[in-house]
Amino acid sequence: MMEGGGEKGEWRAVANLKGLRCRECGQEYPIGPVYFCEYCFGPLEVDYDYASIRKTISRESIAQGPSTMWRYRDLLPVGEGDPVDLGTGFTPLIKADNLARALGIRRVYLKNDAVNPTYSFKDRVVSVAVTRAIEFGFDTIACASTGNLACSVAAHAAKAGLNCYILIPSDLERGKVVGTAIYHPHLVAVRGNYDEVNRLSTEIAEKYGWAFVNINVRPFYSEGSKSLAYETAEQLGWRAPDHVVVPIGGGSLLTKIRKGFQELEKLGLIDEARTRISGAQPAGCAPVADAFREGRDNLLPVKPRTIAKSLAIGNPADGYYALDTIRRSGGAAAGVTDEEIVQGIELLAATEGIFTEPAGGVTVATARRLAQEGIIGKDELLVLYITGNGLKTIEAVQEAAGEPQVIDPSLSAFDQLHETLLARAS
Ligand SMILES: *Cc1c(COP(=O)(O)O)cnc(C)c1O
Ligand SMILES: [Zn+2]
């Protein structure tokens, strides 16, 4: 197999990779910064040599790896050099008994990816994409982002010493703008929604030849999400959950979580991967959930109107595949209102002490809806993917959270307040 790469190619072809393959027609391509099929325009996906991986990988070999997502590097599409790693992954899987009681489900776990280096799961996909882009010889990294990707790409570019261009919609939360700007990328706010930013970015990628992590490096980028499935299975004692709820933006995360569980089964690391995968979207931007509920195969693009800005993608690149994955796995999908999203954030905070951003609120609210409808079974082992941190998006819950009690710095002032609070509580 020929592999691409420039002068910086201090990496060799690795045995675990076969190449790229078109998801639609099966046409094969050598590993390179290409992302769609020349024959049918279908998206390209990384193809692995599982027979070869099976010979080297084991539960023990994984356990000896680092306490990051890179303990699964045999299943990630990079060469043999050191990855660009900020310490991403191997995030806590938390048994959520209080939330379980509230949902009426016996066993609920939270995969808390809000604690990654830039506070979202996007560090997983970016760590892979930036590592690969350097291997390809790129010196400029870029992305179109709904916010979390911006923070992560800017941080990894800083660490790797790469030029960096970030394009975002101009209405993002301050936490995401400042959380990106602090790394001093070329940060461009576009007067338009994400779908418009993405269209512009595709034109820029073509004209300037930069590595856009979620456009021309997308086949590699998206593979990083599989690590969320690997970690979940390992942390459950090497078994796949019965049911998971996954937020959908572009739809890549959801499809890759299924791929991750299936690969573990194929490699004999878990017995079976029958996990039902359900998709969570905000009602104000729910092209996948709408199609699921209406029994359609085609997705209708929407103009997003939601507080869940990280999921505000009206024309999701992997939407069709996400819908297909949900159906094949026996899962479901729902779109939840902004009010339900805030309630979801508050429920997670009140029951488990975790502050998530609106995407996490969407996931919790969707799980609540599906549990009420009996779609998630009471006895299913359920995992919720909490993909982002609430401190980046305080605008969304400022009102719901309320303000502190203000007093003068005297004990009598405190005594008075204390009595009022006691009276109010009784
Ligand atoms: C990007 C993002 C998602 C959705 O991931 P996709 O692969 O685009 O579907 C979910 N949650 C958060 C916090 C995100 O930033
Ligand atoms: Zn094709």
Side-chain angles (χ1 to χ4, degrees):
M1 155 115 303
M2 195 212 81
E3 295 208 21
E7 249 188 293
K8 289 210 183 166
E10 70 277 335
W11 54 292
R12 279 161 287 141
V14 285
N16 64 338
L17 296 179
K18 276 193 185 155
L20 295 168
R21 177 197 290 270
C22 173
R23 279 179 91 154
E24 290 301 319
C25 76
Q27 177 69 35
E28 292 175 10
Y29 295 82
I31 294 287
V34 288
Y35 65 108
F36 63 87
C37 178
E38 285 169 16
Y39 298 92
C40 75
F41 298 103
L44 303 184
E45 184 167 35
V46 178
D47 198 12
Y48 296 83
D49 182 351
Y50 294 108
S52 146
I53 295 172
R54 208 173 209 278
K55 284 188 203 131
T56 53
I57 205 169
S58 65
R59 293 178 182 178
E60 293 71 34
S61 74
I62 291 166
Q64 281 161 15
S67 297
T68 69
M69 64 180 284
W70 289 100
R71 65 208 272 110
Y72 305 101
R73 75 174 295 154
D74 290 352
L75 290 163
L76 297 171
V78 298
E80 290 180 340
D82 287 336
V84 180
D85 180 23
L86 307 178
T88 294
F90 217 56
T91 52
L93 183 78
I94 296 158
K95 189 140 194 291
D97 290 335
N98 298 331
L99 181 63
R101 261 189 301 281
L103 297 179
I105 305 289
R106 224 155 48 77
R107 287 166 302 169
V108 178
Y109 290 83
L110 304 168
K111 182 62 174 159
N112 185 13
D113 249 31
V115 300
N116 270 317
T118 72
Y119 311 104
S120 84
F121 95 93
K122 290 296 197 301
D123 289 329
R124 297 175 185 272
V125 286
V126 173
S127 186
V128 173
V130 171
T131 300
R132 200 25 122 165
I134 293 171
E135 291 171 348
F136 285 144
F138 287 102
D139 62 10
T140 302
I141 199 92
C143 71
S145 173
T146 57
N148 285 319
L149 188 60
C151 300
S152 186
V153 168
H156 284 80
K159 171 90 170 171
L162 296 169
N163 302 322
C164 183
Y165 283 82
I166 306 271
L167 287 95
I168 53 172
S170 57
D171 70 342
L172 284 192
E173 302 96 339
R174 289 305 293 164
K176 286 179 183 167
V177 176
V178 177
T180 301
I182 191 64
Y183 304 109
H184 296 294
H186 300 288
L187 178 56
V188 184
V190 179
R191 280 183 225 101
N193 62 30
Y194 174 79
D195 298 286
E196 292 165 313
V197 174
N198 193 45
R199 196 172 339 113
L200 170 62
S201 297
T202 306
E203 290 171 7
I204 295 173
E206 212 148 276
K207 175 162 181 182
Y208 290 85
W210 297 333
F212 271 76
V213 298
N214 54 340
I215 300 175
N216 50 345
V217 195
R218 189 173 181 87
F220 305 93
Y221 156 97
S222 57
E223 290 286 294
S225 291
K226 296 188 307 183
S227 59
L228 265 169
Y230 305 149
E231 290 176 17
T232 303
E234 183 180 355
Q235 290 168 319
L236 286 172
W238 293 108
R239 63 156 291 184
D242 300 321
H243 205 139
V244 297
V245 179
V246 185
I248 298 174
S252 169
L253 169 64
L254 184 142
T255 64
K256 296 295 177 171
I257 283 181
R258 179 134 198 262
K259 183 177 181 185
F261 288 130
Q262 288 182 328
E263 285 178 331
L264 294 183
E265 183 189 275
K266 203 175 314 189
L267 293 166
L269 292 166
I270 60 174
D271 286 340
E272 54 177 24
R274 296 226 191 114
T275 308
R276 299 171 68 200
I277 305 201
S278 288
Q281 290 199 299
C285 182
V288 175
D290 291 346
F292 179 84
R293 292 263 148 159
E294 290 160 22
R296 279 188 277 114
D297 285 336
N298 60 322
L299 266 63
L300 305 175
V302 301
K303 248 198 162 40
R305 279 184 71 98
T306 170
I307 56 166
K309 293 181 197 269
S310 57
L311 305 180
I313 301 181
N315 189 12
D318 287 289
Y320 168 78
Y321 296 105
L323 180 61
D324 185 58
T325 299
I326 291 166
R327 287 198 178 126
R328 277 175 198 276
S329 74
V336 292
T337 64
D338 282 357
E339 198 184 342
E340 289 176 287
I341 294 169
V342 172
Q343 288 167 358
I345 295 172
E346 293 210 286
L347 179 62
L348 187 66
T351 54
E352 299 298 333
I354 291 173
F355 182 19
T356 187
E357 70 147 275
V362 169
T363 300
V364 172
T366 297
R368 183 152 83 169
R369 174 96 66 83
L370 297 179
Q372 274 165 0
E373 290 174 355
I375 293 170
I376 299 175
K378 283 184 177 15
D379 291 323
E380 285 188 305
L381 192 158
L382 174 68
V383 174
L384 306 184
Y385 286 98
I386 303 302
T387 48
N389 196 301
L391 285 174
K392 276 189 193 172
T393 56
I394 49 176
E395 295 93 332
V397 290
Q398 210 154 266
E399 226 173 280
E403 294 296 328
Q405 309 277 346
V406 182
I407 59 168
D408 289 326
S410 75
L411 186 57
S412 64
F414 182 81
D415 288 342
Q416 205 177 351
L417 172 67
H418 187 233
E419 251 165 60
T420 331
L421 293 178
L422 277 183
R424 210 181 289 166
S426 63

